Amino acid sequence: MTGVLWAAALSIIVLLAFFVGYILYLGAPVISWHFLTSPPSEVSAGGGVGPEIFNSFYILILTLIFTTPIAMAGGIYLQEYARPGLFTSLVQFCAESLATVPSIVMGLFGLLLFVTMLHWKFTAIGGALTLTLLNLPALMRVTQEALHSVPDAFREGSMALGATKWQTITKVVLPSAIAPLTTGVVLIAGRIFGETAALIFTAGVSVSAGRSAYDFGLFHQAETLSVHLWYTHSESLIPDAARVGNGSALVLLVMVLVFNVSARLLGLGLSRRFMGR
C-alpha cells in the first residue's frame, strides 16, 4: 500500500515535469527581448506580447485590490463574529453558490453589466470587477479556514491579558494565520493570471487602439496574456500564430511560477516576523 501511495505522489511530479518540459521545448526558441516587449501584430508575423504581459499584471493588481479587503472582511465576520442562524447560513449559501458559477457565465454577466448597461465597453476595470465577483467567494472561504486554523488558546490568552476582540484579531489571530492567508492569495492570483473566458467578454481581445499599449487608464481594452494565447490559437490571422502561442504559453507559465515563489517567500518572511520564528 505504501508503494502505491509513493507512486501516486511521484506521478504528480512526473506529470508536472513533463508538462513544464514540453512547454519549454516549444516556447524557449521564441523568447527574446523583442518578443517580450513588442506589441502584438494583427496580420503580419513577428509580433510580441509586451502589452499583454503588462495587462496581465495590471488586471491582477486591480482584482486583488478589489477582492482582498472585501473577502477578508467577510471571512473575519463569518469566523470571528457570526453566530449560527439564518443570516449566517444565508451568507454561506450565497458564497458557495457564487463560487460554483462557471467563469464563462460570470463573463457574460460582466458583459451585460459593465459593457452593455454601464456603457464602459471592453475595459480593464470591467475585467477586474468581473474577476472580483468570480474570486470573492473563494478568497473569503480561504480567509475563514485560515482563521479557523488558529488555536482558540491564542484568542483566550490575548483576551485574558485585557485585549479587546478587535485587538485580538488584528494583533494575534491575523498574524498567526498569515502563512495560509498568503497561500490562499497565491492560489487566487494564479487563477486570475490564467483566467480567459471571463476576460474575453469584459476586457476584450486587443490592446488599446490609438493610445499607449502600456496604459494605466482603467477604461481601455486590456487583452491579457491568457486571452492572447486563446486568440492566437483560435481566431488569429497572423502566419506565425503557433510560434506566438507557444511563446505566450511559456511566458504565462513562468509568470505564474515566479509570482507563486515570490509570494510564498513573502509569506514565509511575514510569518517569521509576526510569529518571531
Side-chain angles (χ1 to χ4, degrees):
M1 188 61 187
T2 304
V4 175
L5 296 177
W6 270 96
L10 186 61
S11 66
I12 296 175
I13 300 175
V14 172
L15 284 174
L16 180 61
F18 175 76
F19 174 74
V20 173
Y22 186 67
I23 297 295
L24 277 171
Y25 171 74
L26 293 178
V30 183
I31 303 302
S32 66
W33 181 251
H34 173 78
F35 181 76
L36 296 176
T37 57
S38 299
S41 176
E42 296 294 334
V43 293
S44 58
V49 294
E52 282 76 11
I53 295 176
F54 170 80
N55 289 331
S56 296
F57 281 102
Y58 187 51
I59 289 183
L60 168 67
I61 293 171
L62 285 177
T63 305
L64 290 180
I65 289 174
F66 295 139
T67 307
T68 304
I70 301 174
M72 291 190 66
I76 291 173
Y77 169 76
L78 289 175
Q79 181 60 36
E80 303 294 334
Y81 290 96
R83 296 180 178 178
L86 178 61
F87 179 72
T88 302
S89 300
L90 182 62
V91 173
Q92 294 274 22
F93 174 77
C94 291
E96 292 169 1
S97 300
L98 194 60
T100 60
V101 176
S103 62
I104 192 169
V105 176
M106 192 61 76
L108 291 173
F109 174 76
L111 174 68
L112 177 65
L113 178 61
F114 302 120
V115 178
T116 304
M117 295 182 64
L118 297 180
H119 302 289
W120 287 357
K121 300 181 180 178
F122 296 115
T123 58
I125 184 69
L129 288 174
T130 303
L131 292 184
T132 297
L133 296 174
L134 189 64
N135 293 288
L136 191 61
L139 189 53
M140 188 172 73
R141 187 66 176 172
V142 166
T143 303
Q144 188 179 359
E145 292 295 330
L147 299 184
H148 181 70
S149 67
V150 178
D152 288 336
F154 285 26
R155 298 175 177 83
E156 295 167 357
S158 175
M159 299 184 77
L161 292 174
T164 64
K165 187 163 188 174
W166 180 246
Q167 288 173 330
T168 299
I169 293 172
T170 55
K171 302 293 184 181
V172 177
V173 178
L174 284 176
S176 301
I178 192 68
L181 282 175
T182 304
T183 301
V185 172
V186 170
L187 293 175
I188 297 299
R191 183 179 178 184
I192 295 170
F193 260 128
E195 183 55 51
T196 304
L199 293 177
I200 291 173
F201 297 108
T202 53
V205 293
S206 64
V207 295
S208 300
R211 303 171 61 179
S212 170
Y214 303 94
D215 194 344
F216 281 96
L218 298 175
F219 297 92
H220 74 280
Q221 291 195 52
E223 182 190 43
T224 63
L225 198 58
S226 59
V227 174
H228 188 62
L229 177 60
W230 165 82
Y231 183 75
T232 53
H233 279 289
S234 59
E235 299 185 4
S236 179
L237 300 177
I238 57 177
D240 61 343
R243 184 190 71 87
V244 175
N246 293 334
S248 301
L250 179 58
V251 173
L252 183 61
L253 179 67
V254 172
M255 285 168 55
V256 173
L257 289 177
V258 170
F259 187 85
N260 284 358
V261 172
S262 302
R264 289 184 185 280
L265 291 177
L266 176 63
L268 183 61
L270 291 174
S271 180
R272 286 178 175 174
R273 178 180 178 183
F274 288 124
M275 300 300 293
R277 295 173 180 171

